[in-house]
Amino acid sequence: MSDYILVLDEGTTSTRAMLFASDGTLAASAQAELTQHYPQGGWVEHDAAEIWDKTLACALEVIPKAGGPAMIAGLGITNQRETVVAWDKESGEPLTRAIVWQDRRTEPFCLALRQAGHEAEVQRRTGLMLDPYFSGTKMRWMLDNVPAVRAAADAGTLAFGTVESWLVYKLTSGAKGAGAHITDASNASRTLLMELAGSSFEKELCDLFGVPISALPKVVDMAGNLAATDPSLFGCAIPITGLAGDQQAATIGQACLAPGQTKATYGTGAFVLTNQGAAIPQSGHRMLGTVLCQIAGERTYAIEGSVFVAGSLVQWLRDSLGIVEVASQTEQLARSIPDSGGVTIVPALSGLGAPHWNADARGVITGLSFASGKAELARAALEAMAHQTYDLARAFAADGTAWETLRIDGGMAANDWMAQDLADMLGIPVERPGFVETTALGAAMLAAAGAGLYPDLASAAAAMRGTLTRFEPSMDEKVREERLTRWRKALAAI
Ligand code: ADP
């Protein structure tokens, strides 16, 4: 029976192919690192041909472990969002390096648009801010600065897409210049070129950003029979049945399928998404509105808030201060003392994200005394995660989306002390899945539902989610208040 799901999980630093059984267990995986190109300060680029070659090689490595391509019911793709690839529809080859989501080169254009008074309208229509992070201004930069991209636009052969779009093009015989040019609604909602309420890219928004709408892919569902791989690639055609941007995939992988359900991923930074149901999000607190899922044309939305510094603070303790040798030691250190001795860290090492949005802020450590040592600093670093998350919880609640439980994942979520502290400070249960690769699992759930292995996404999620560890809040209210007072005072010191 063909009941395996193949997931291509294309991240910022690596690309992977993962083979899932229909009950959500991981059967095999292969991974390859991606080269990061930093041509100038603030610029980050990837080679789209390398992404394709390495993703294909990983897929070819794991497919035999399913017993061959015919054993695979569906293929799901999840990807680093916002990164832009430009290619030629006739040759199927990239026209320039991909501009990665972290790249800040389009800040002058964003500033000009903000100064021209476009931000409020753009935010209302797209749910996003005028920030270089999103795809639209990256496309415009390529048109203005790469002659081959402009020439292809003039000749009508230019294709723009985010990375899932590029991979689908190549998988569907793009090598012969005849691939499917599609993007899923979650990735499309990160471009600034689609309205949150819209089902396709919007001419007026494309005109504002100077992007020809003819170069953009068709916006499609995130599960279903979306396309099929060229039979010559793997030996027979594999249906492409799931597509999602990484944070949306993780939210689905955490089974946040009902309004109010929330996941937080603690990696280098932290990304929090709350399911908003069918209502189009309009944040009064500078959170982002984004498409969470679209199946059979039916949309659900999410509110998204990101914190710039999470695990990278622990990395800084390890690499710059030498307080720990490995990140997990922060847990023993935090447990070795009853409190942080009044030490508080505001981890604004690269500015503060939501809900503060202060790019120029820099970190502070308050409350140091001669009694402060490694343990106090490690504990204060972990406490800062709950403090930052608490501020997000307040802002989400003020937008009408209070959290009932928080589902956590990402490398830092392995820290039990931090998980308990989150439950204590937020005053809600925190759940952590036994299988922490929620991004890939979410893509597998979409692909399984899309392939018809399950009647719908909720059934796929229920069958594939696996075991959970739960952390219940148990902190004394006075201790909690004292922590929050310390945090607010430290924030005011910025
Ligand atoms: P990313 O996907 O952003 O590369 P990961 O999800 O792999 O990040 O998480 C890695 C981050 O988590 C690192 O910054 C590391 O410092 C931190 N980290 C990993 N394990 C722990 C732990 N047990 N306690 C605290 N921090 C941790």
Side-chain angles (χ1 to χ4, degrees):
M1 206 177 106
S2 65
D3 60 0
Y4 282 101
I5 294 295
L6 175 64
V7 168
L8 306 179
D9 179 359
E10 194 285 327
T12 308
T13 55
S14 69
T15 187
R16 292 188 296 179
M18 299 168 85
L19 194 65
F20 286 89
S22 58
D23 64 357
T25 51
L26 183 65
S29 78
Q31 177 165 0
E33 297 301 313
L34 297 173
T35 315
Q36 312 291 313
H37 299 271
Y38 304 107
Q40 292 188 25
W43 293 29
V44 189
E45 298 178 348
H46 283 163
D47 175 353
E50 180 191 1
I51 292 177
W52 163 241
D53 291 343
K54 289 189 170 168
T55 304
L56 178 63
C58 288
L60 287 167
E61 196 179 324
V62 300
I63 288 171
K65 295 180 183 155
M71 303 303 287
I72 297 173
L75 186 157
I77 303 177
T78 179
N79 59 296
Q80 50 167 321
R81 303 176 302 174
E82 297 99 11
T83 298
V84 172
V85 183
W87 68 94
D88 188 282
K89 284 177 194 166
E90 279 176 358
S91 70
E93 295 304 320
L95 292 161
T96 183
R97 287 228 188 102
I99 302 184
V100 177
W101 59 274
Q102 296 140 312
D103 192 292
R104 307 296 299 171
R105 79 183 66 177
T106 59
E107 174 54 24
F109 182 39
C110 291
L111 180 66
L113 290 169
R114 287 198 297 269
Q115 283 172 345
H118 291 293
E119 183 148 74
E121 176 72 357
V122 167
Q123 197 190 359
R124 189 185 61 74
R125 293 171 77 169
T126 67
L128 310 177
M129 317 258 190
L130 280 172
D131 188 276
Y133 180 28
F134 305 108
S135 314
T137 60
K138 299 181 196 297
M139 294 176 185
R140 169 65 180 271
W141 190 94
M142 288 180 177
L143 285 160
D144 287 350
N145 293 279
V146 184
V149 172
R150 178 60 72 183
D154 292 344
T157 60
L158 174 64
F160 276 132
T162 37
V163 178
E164 89 300 348
S165 179
W166 164 242
L167 291 176
V168 170
Y169 191 84
K170 295 302 272 184
L171 286 164
T172 56
S173 83
K176 300 166 198 159
H181 191 201
I182 58 175
T183 185
D184 74 277
S186 68
N187 275 293
S189 77
R190 314 296 296 182
T191 59
L192 287 166
L193 305 176
M194 183 177 79
E195 289 203 352
L196 274 176
S199 56
S200 56
F201 291 110
E202 232 273 330
K203 174 85 171 58
E204 232 179 85
L205 287 167
C206 291
D207 288 348
L208 177 67
F209 290 94
V211 174
I213 199 163
S214 57
L216 296 175
K218 179 170 183 262
V219 181
V220 300
D221 282 345
M222 293 163 64
N225 248 322
L226 306 174
T229 64
D230 182 333
S232 67
L233 276 180
F234 303 124
C236 72
I238 300 176
I240 298 175
T241 56
L243 297 174
D246 54 9
Q247 296 306 320
Q248 282 88 342
T251 309
I252 291 164
Q254 288 269 28
C256 294
L257 302 179
Q261 292 180 331
T262 302
K263 74 91 199 177
T265 301
Y266 295 91
T268 306
F271 290 91
V272 180
L273 273 84
T274 297
N275 185 315
Q276 178 81 3
I280 292 174
Q282 285 297 340
S283 174
H285 298 82
R286 309 199 77 206
M287 297 294 159
L288 304 179
T290 203
V291 171
L292 174 58
C293 197
Q294 177 182 314
I295 299 179
E298 296 277 308
R299 284 260 174 92
T300 52
Y301 294 91
I303 295 191
E304 176 172 330
S306 19
V307 164
F308 297 154
V309 178
S312 51
L313 181 66
V314 172
Q315 253 166 326
W316 179 74
L317 292 185
R318 187 192 65 189
D319 301 339
S320 299
L321 301 191
I323 281 177
V324 289
E325 275 167 21
V326 290
S328 57
Q329 283 172 354
T330 51
E331 177 162 351
Q332 293 151 251
L333 285 171
R335 284 190 196 285
S336 71
I337 47 175
D339 56 51
S340 75
V343 177
T344 309
I345 302 180
V346 181
L349 283 80
S350 55
L352 278 179
H356 307 288
W357 293 112
N358 183 350
D360 301 325
R362 288 298 172 264
V364 291
I365 303 179
T366 60
L368 289 174
S369 73
F370 285 115
S372 316
K374 288 182 181 184
E376 285 75 13
L377 281 168
R379 185 160 171 142
L382 295 183
E383 285 184 357
M385 302 306 134
H387 297 155
Q388 298 190 101
T389 309
Y390 178 88
D391 285 349
L392 278 179
R394 288 266 307 243
F396 274 64
D399 274 341
T401 317
W403 307 344
E404 283 169 14
T405 54
L406 184 67
R407 300 174 181 181
I408 63 169
D409 52 50
M412 249 195 136
N415 192 308
D416 282 355
W417 189 90
M418 187 193 85
Q420 182 59 49
D421 194 51
L422 280 167
D424 287 343
M425 290 303 296
L426 297 171
I428 56 172
V430 165
E431 287 178 353
R432 183 180 66 202
F435 180 70
V436 292
E437 301 286 357
T438 53
T439 304
L441 183 62
M445 289 172 180
L446 283 165
L453 292 184
Y454 295 98
D456 52 35
L457 187 57
S459 319
M464 298 172 81
R465 192 173 172 210
T467 58
L468 298 171
T469 307
R470 216 171 135 93
F471 300 84
E472 298 289 345
S474 68
M475 187 182 264
D476 187 82
E477 190 54 34
K478 262 171 69 185
V479 177
R480 193 161 160 262
E481 273 312 313
E482 181 273 329
R483 285 266 304 269
L484 290 171
T485 307
R486 260 201 293 127
W487 168 246
R488 287 192 199 108
K489 267 182 148 166
L491 266 180
I494 281 182

